[in-house]
Amino acid sequence: MALHKLKKEETLAMRKRLIGQSCRLFYSDDPIKIVRARGQYLFDENDKRYLDCISNVHHVGHCHPSITKVAAAQMELLNTNARFLHDNIVVYADRLAATLPDKLCVFYFVNSGSEANDLALRLARQYTQHEDVIVLDHAYHGHLTSLIDISPYKFRKLTGQKEWVHVAPLPDVYRGVYREDHPDPGQAYADTVKDLIEEVHRKGRKISAFFAESLPSVGGQIILPERYSPKVAEYVHSAGGVFVADEVQTGFGRVGGHFWGFQLQGEDFCPDIVTMGKPMGNGHPLACVATTVEIAGAFTANAVEYFNTFGGNPVSCAIGLAVLDVIETEDLRGNSMRVGAHLKDLLTKLQKQHQVIGDVRGVGLFVGVELVTDREKRTPATKTAAQVVKRLKEEDQICVSTDGPWDNVLKFKPPMCFSIENAELVVQCIDRILTEKTFNCIRNCQMVTFIKFRGRDMNVYT
């Protein structure tokens, strides 16, 4: 319970005065003040309920009672430095290992996805003794300086691209170089990485890692084409590098049929390093790096201890274990498959009714709807996407956000308890908004032309 209750205007004024303005709020023109939450719902200071389609961090649902109970119990018993021997960290590591390929069996616990990706970068460089990194265009891997350097989404707005960073085309089959009509886009996009590696070698440089989200999120809710990752891994390994799968956004069963997003690329595909974060603590700061014995051994061999004060503490690991229990006992992977498929099907049907919907893509409860002003040219409908988000919030109390290089992709990454009824409501509201927008556009774009017909003026609307 909050110690102080402020009026919304007071909270907003204090935030503007005390919190850095680069820390932006959702709906900055008229922010929602959220005071409590449960499941897939948020409640403001007036107890108005909002459907949350945004919070993939609160993976199994906001304030899940099983998790809050475990957290409180462990916090009351013990929370201490991870350098003391304790059961929770090893039991949790063992549970995580059971979800991953056998070779990913060594774990480093940290507190955020950014920390996890920074550590993955260190592991890759120590193991390979190389420096250079290949990343995908529009990628975002975290807010630390090391990660801004490998995040085109960020560094293009800041200091620019470092000489050791190399950007491969985003494997986007909707608006990328190789599209849905290509016979094998996975191979074609993988070959762009091969070409990039050869270019790096001609410069006398060497690759330490290929870094990619298993499902690029900031890039626009992208589903990688089949066989892309295995072929890239083959090329990267031949160059002496390692494959890092960033699962910070997509891990822990969000895709439904698999526990990890990288498994969509085939059961035989296994990254060398996997990073995880956001959903694993259901809102509690908890993240991890999983890797092989060989890579971990090289990291140990540098004789520099890796020490993280809070990473893997008893409370964090207790919460992580509780999250795994809820995913299993409530069949949230199954729910993701069923509800996600229904949501995608409804949106695909909506696409046939509204020309502004250029593409619907996704798997499980990771879905994107790309809005365009022209289907043939695939021109991003950034303004329309922003209007849809605004109206959903104001008229329907539904929280949705946008992503993609042009912010024209409506993204859906809700808590995994999202229901069939929730999906149907969201699509109904989007349909209403787009229908009204189309009608208003036709009405507002009508031009009056005066022509002579049989000796008299007539108004003709075109």
Side-chain angles (χ1 to χ4, degrees), residues 127-147:
Y127 177 70
T128 64
Q129 293 296 295
H130 302 162
E131 180 183 20
D132 291 27
V133 177
I134 296 176
V135 295
L136 295 179
D137 204 0
H138 309 300
Y140 174 65
H141 294 291
H143 62 78
L144 301 182
T145 299
S146 62
L147 304 176

Side-chain angles (χ1 to χ4, degrees), residues 75 93 145 167-168 200 209 216 252 255 282 284 288 297 311 365 369 397 433:
M75 192 173 292
T145 299
V167 180
V200 171
F252 293 86
V255 300
N282 207 55
H284 181 85
C288 184
L365 284 172
V369 180
Q397 289 77 59
I433 292 168

